[in-house]
């Protein structure tokens, strides 16, 4: 299969048939089995994984998402009973396997943000501003994660310094609270994933994927059916969903839209985020459909940089949205100190600001993409 | 005096001498006396002013700033003893007269922000999102100020709704706390201003300004001295200060710079705001120097729209910076509820976001200005 761009609407292009889909599914199933073997060999424990087992878990999630997405997009080309039976199982597996990583990433994002918001506390403000700037300008992130300055802050503020130290102590307590809550959630997710991987439900899925690695249950017509109309339909669903996004607002910097209802009685996640989350999923389906068409999709294969950048903006949107919700949820913990709640409020707003920044980044990327391809 | 633009560096232009400065100062002194008469006639009370007395107070501040700024910029053309004696008195008067308005504007800004952040609380969240959007999109402001929904929120959240209503109650309590604290500060500022206007110190200033309205104490050389080098020096001080601002960062949307140190132990105001505040003052001095040169400066006179827009961005920067500091200060009130502190944290971050937005607006405006004039 050629690696170049295949326009699904170009009638002169060589047709790409169900055989290409079968090849893609076999490759992803093989990748799943390899990752599963690696995951077992690297021995994930109840305490959390080694670096290799983390890689293996990522590869498992990656292949499950691609098989699941292909079953969705190319549904008419696959045996109905088989694919309709497998799809909910893959959704269960994908959800179960992703939770541990999600909690871990969320905690890291929130602690990094608290670190940035606290400056290099303990130093005089001017020095702290000067030393922290290079790492935090533009990216809003620091390279390393070190919560020690947050935790040390309490010790360095003397009695004469109570007012000045108040909020810093709040940041330290907020960090400790988030760490406790999200680490507990992560540990539970880890146990759940381990249990899932040992369950008969999982073994049944793994058996089906093992069969898929050698034999893809295509319909009788599939080997000669053109994949491109189905891929084009996936792209159209994406385009329609993007067209419904408030991109004019998103493209106007500092529109202050993401924090609207930041204090509303409605619990997180914000309903305004849902269309963006939906576009994120549709973009992924579009990307996987292109992989199936182009015969790519391996971990080292070529990628469409524009789609990848747009997808990264939407990943950042999702991550910031969920981190903001986690900060808001922590602020509802009973009997926390006002300083802790204040820090969580600042943190929540900071992450909603990130949500807005991610929308802006997506709008910029998408606009360039449309200009370039139209 | 011609109304067109006079380039102070153009050697072929007709010189503008100390006589023009004398005319400008006489006009501003006359305006001060008119405003003072109006202020007395409209009868400001201890409870706060009528609309007319608010206008009169604004006109008083406006003329005091212009006289004070001209004494600074054109110092070499004025009798030293007279101007050096008057300048600190004008600074005292300007500061005293501005506090009441500042507290009032700060409270309005913070309550509007809380209102926006709370959505139309009391309605279901989806409805609230739909109904609040038109007023809050892009501008981030609502047309009217009504704190009733904030205050009613407590009553509408039933016992089964505690978790959902928690943050809204926080917004309501935060609003009530800010209203109490800033109204108290405003009332004190109002009393201080009334006392100042009745003091012998004020009468001495008013007498000096009354003399200024007919007789400006120029130096012997001033009537034939060109004003333009002094005006150019004021512009140069502005240009130098702008050049030292981090405009590259400010022009990159969502740089997340304004909220860095949002939780640092250093109390507000943020040291990073100071250079922007300084540019705001220098821009004002530049604008007044242009007014003196062009013979404008009356309330209905022509203005340089570009300078005005840049100045408005810097006013917004100052207002948001001080509002953010007020929210942080309120959060240090002893014995507040965690939900109140959380709401104040969100509010603080929201206003720091506004600070960042104002810097972006200034950068955009200044860049256009430079491109257009260079």
């Amino acid at each position: 299969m050629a690696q170049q761009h295949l326009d699904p609407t170009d009638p002169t292009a060589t047709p790409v048939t169900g055989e290409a889909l079968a090849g893609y599914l076999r490759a992803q199933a093989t990748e799943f089995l390899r990752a599963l073997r690696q995951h077992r060999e690297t021995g994930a424990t109840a305490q959390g994984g080694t670096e290799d087992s983390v890689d293996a878990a990522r590869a498992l999630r990656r292949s499950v998402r691609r098989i699941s997405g292909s079953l969705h997009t190319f549904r008419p080309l696959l045996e109905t009973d088989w694919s309709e039976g497998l799809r909910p199982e893959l959704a269960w597996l994908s959800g179960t396997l992703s939770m541990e990583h999600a909690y871990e990433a969320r905690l890291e994002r929130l602690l990094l943000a608290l670190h940035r918001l606290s400056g290099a506390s303990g130093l005089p403000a001017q020095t702290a501003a000067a030393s922290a700037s290079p790492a935090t300008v533009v990216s809003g992130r620091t390279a390393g994660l070190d919560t020690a300055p947050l935790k040390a802050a309490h010790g360095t503020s003397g009695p004469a310094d109570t007012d000045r130290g108040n909020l810093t102590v709040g940041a330290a307590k907020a960090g400790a609270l988030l760490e406790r809550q999200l680490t507990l959630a992560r540990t539970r997710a880890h146990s759940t994933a381990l249990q899932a991987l040992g369950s008969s439900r999982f073994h049944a899925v793994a058996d089906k994927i093992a069969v898929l690695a050698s034999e893809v249950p295509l319909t009788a017509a599939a080997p000669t059916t053109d994949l491109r109309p189905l891929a084009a339909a996936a792209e159209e669903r994406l385009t329609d969903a993007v067209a419904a996004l408030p991109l004019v607002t998103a493209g106007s910097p500092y529109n202050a839209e993401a924090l609207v209802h930041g204090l509303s009685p409605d619990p997180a996640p914000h309903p305004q985020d849902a269309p963006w989350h939906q576009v994120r999923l549709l973009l992924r389906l579009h990307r996987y459909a292109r992989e199936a068409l182009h015969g790519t999709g391996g971990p080292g294969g070529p990628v469409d940089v524009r789609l990848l950048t747009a997808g990264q903006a939407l990943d950042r949107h999702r991550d910031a949205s969920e981190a903001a919700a986690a900060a808001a949820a922590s602020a509802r913990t009973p009997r926390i100190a006002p300083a802790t709640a204040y820090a969580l409020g600042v943190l929540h707003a900071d992450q909603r600001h990130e949500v807005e920044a991610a929308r802006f980044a997506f709008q910029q990327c998408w606009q360039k993409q449309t200009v370039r391809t139209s």
Side-chain angles (χ1 to χ4, degrees), chain A residues 21 25 70-71 74-87 208 211-212 215-223:
Chain A
L21 172 64
L25 283 172
S70 302
L71 263 55
F74 300 108
R75 188 169 27 188
L77 303 187
L78 296 158
E79 278 183 16
T80 308
D81 286 355
W82 174 83
S83 72
E84 294 302 308
L86 187 53
R87 281 178 57 202
K208 283 195 172 185
V211 172
L212 187 64
E215 190 186 327
V216 177
L218 295 178
T219 61

Side-chain angles (χ1 to χ4, degrees), chain A residues 32 36 44 88 131 148 161 172-173 181 183 209 290 299 318 346 361 366:
Chain A
F32 175 90
L36 184 60
S131 66
D161 214 9
K173 283 186 174 171
Q181 293 176 335
T183 301
I209 295 178
R290 286 174 58 94
R318 193 265 324 258
V346 171
W366 197 259

Side-chain angles (χ1 to χ4, degrees), chain A residues 76-133:
Chain A
L77 303 187
L78 296 158
E79 278 183 16
T80 308
D81 286 355
W82 174 83
S83 72
E84 294 302 308
L86 187 53
R87 281 178 57 202
E89 297 308 289
L90 292 174
W92 162 74
L93 186 56
S94 180
T96 305
L97 293 178
S98 66
M99 291 313 289
E100 178 183 4
H101 173 72
Y103 285 123
E104 189 177 4
R106 198 168 303 159
L107 177 60
E108 182 174 322
R109 165 176 272 273
L110 287 166
L111 292 181
L112 273 170
L114 274 177
H115 193 80
R116 167 167 53 83
L117 294 169
S118 300
S121 50
L123 297 173
Q126 290 286 0
T127 316
S131 66
S133 289

Side-chain angles (χ1 to χ4, degrees), chain A residues 148-188:
Chain A
L150 290 176
K151 289 173 182 169
H154 198 176
T156 55
S157 62
D161 214 9
T162 310
D163 251 25
R164 287 170 57 94
N166 196 19
L167 301 185
T168 307
V169 173
K173 283 186 174 171
L177 180 64
L178 289 165
E179 191 150 18
R180 198 160 63 241
Q181 293 176 335
L182 289 172
T183 301
L184 178 64
R186 194 191 71 178
T187 305
R188 283 186 182 151

Side-chain angles (χ1 to χ4, degrees), chain A residues 201-213:
Chain A
R201 185 175 181 184
F202 174 74
H203 288 298
V205 183
D207 286 350
K208 283 195 172 185
I209 295 178
V211 172
L212 187 64

Side-chain angles (χ1 to χ4, degrees), chain A residues 1-2 6-8 10-20 222-229 293:
Chain A
M1 178 65 55
L6 296 181
D7 181 354
D10 179 0
T12 66
T14 319
V16 182
T17 67
E19 290 295 355
T224 54
T225 303
D226 193 349
L227 287 187
R228 292 174 305 157
L293 254 65

Side-chain angles (χ1 to χ4, degrees), chain A residues 1-366:
Chain A
M1 178 65 55
Q3 301 289 318
Q4 78 274 18
H5 177 81
L6 296 181
D7 181 354
T9 61
D10 179 0
T12 66
T14 319
V16 182
T17 67
E19 290 295 355
L21 172 64
Y24 181 71
L25 283 172
R26 277 194 299 268
Q28 294 303 328
T30 303
E31 176 61 18
F32 175 90
L33 296 173
R34 188 200 63 73
L36 184 60
R37 202 164 47 240
Q38 189 194 349
H39 193 264
R40 280 174 179 154
E41 282 166 4
T42 53
T45 69
Q47 303 314 312
T50 62
E51 198 177 323
D52 280 349
S53 77
V54 168
D55 285 348
R58 183 180 297 120
L60 273 179
R61 293 197 303 271
R62 197 175 180 283
S63 53
V64 168
R65 282 199 306 264
R66 280 166 170 74
I67 296 169
S68 179
S70 302
L71 263 55
H72 179 81
T73 302
F74 300 108
R75 188 169 27 188
L77 303 187
L78 296 158
E79 278 183 16
T80 308
D81 286 355
W82 174 83
S83 72
E84 294 302 308
L86 187 53
R87 281 178 57 202
E89 297 308 289
L90 292 174
W92 162 74
L93 186 56
S94 180
T96 305
L97 293 178
S98 66
M99 291 313 289
E100 178 183 4
H101 173 72
Y103 285 123
E104 189 177 4
R106 198 168 303 159
L107 177 60
E108 182 174 322
R109 165 176 272 273
L110 287 166
L111 292 181
L112 273 170
L114 274 177
H115 193 80
R116 167 167 53 83
L117 294 169
S118 300
S121 50
L123 297 173
Q126 290 286 0
T127 316
S131 66
S133 289
T136 52
V137 171
V138 182
S139 78
R141 283 168 173 278
T142 50
L145 174 62
D146 178 12
T147 59
L150 290 176
K151 289 173 182 169
H154 198 176
T156 55
S157 62
D161 214 9
T162 310
D163 251 25
R164 287 170 57 94
N166 196 19
L167 301 185
T168 307
V169 173
K173 283 186 174 171
L177 180 64
L178 289 165
E179 191 150 18
R180 198 160 63 241
Q181 293 176 335
L182 289 172
T183 301
L184 178 64
R186 194 191 71 178
T187 305
R188 283 186 182 151
H190 182 73
S191 304
T192 304
L194 278 191
Q195 278 172 18
L197 290 175
S199 70
S200 57
R201 185 175 181 184
F202 174 74
H203 288 298
V205 183
D207 286 350
K208 283 195 172 185
I209 295 178
V211 172
L212 187 64
S214 56
E215 190 186 327
V216 177
L218 295 178
T219 61
T224 54
T225 303
D226 193 349
L227 287 187
R228 292 174 305 157
L230 293 169
E235 181 165 18
E236 199 179 341
R237 284 191 290 273
L238 169 64
T239 312
D240 289 351
V242 171
L245 290 177
L247 287 185
V248 173
T249 298
S252 160
Y254 300 107
N255 55 74
E257 188 64 3
L259 197 54
V260 165
H261 306 289
L263 292 172
S264 87
D266 184 59
H270 286 228
Q272 59 168 276
D273 298 352
W276 299 85
H277 295 333
Q278 179 65 10
V279 167
R280 181 178 161 272
L281 296 178
L282 292 174
L283 184 70
R284 204 150 82 176
L285 289 175
H286 169 55
R287 197 148 62 83
Y288 298 160
R290 286 174 58 94
E291 287 180 5
L293 254 65
H294 298 192
T296 59
V303 290
D304 185 318
V305 175
R306 299 170 306 162
L307 287 182
L308 206 64
T309 308
Q312 280 165 350
L314 294 171
D315 286 351
R316 181 178 165 211
H317 180 275
R318 193 265 324 258
D319 292 346
S321 165
E322 294 187 345
S330 274
R332 287 190 286 266
T333 306
R335 288 178 300 280
I336 57 172
T340 310
Y342 176 85
L344 289 168
V346 171
L347 187 59
H348 172 78
D350 174 71
Q351 291 300 305
R352 293 303 304 173
H353 189 180
E354 273 279 296
V355 164
E356 199 179 299
R359 291 180 190 169
F360 177 74
F362 176 81
Q363 188 275 341
Q364 295 282 302
C365 165
W366 197 259

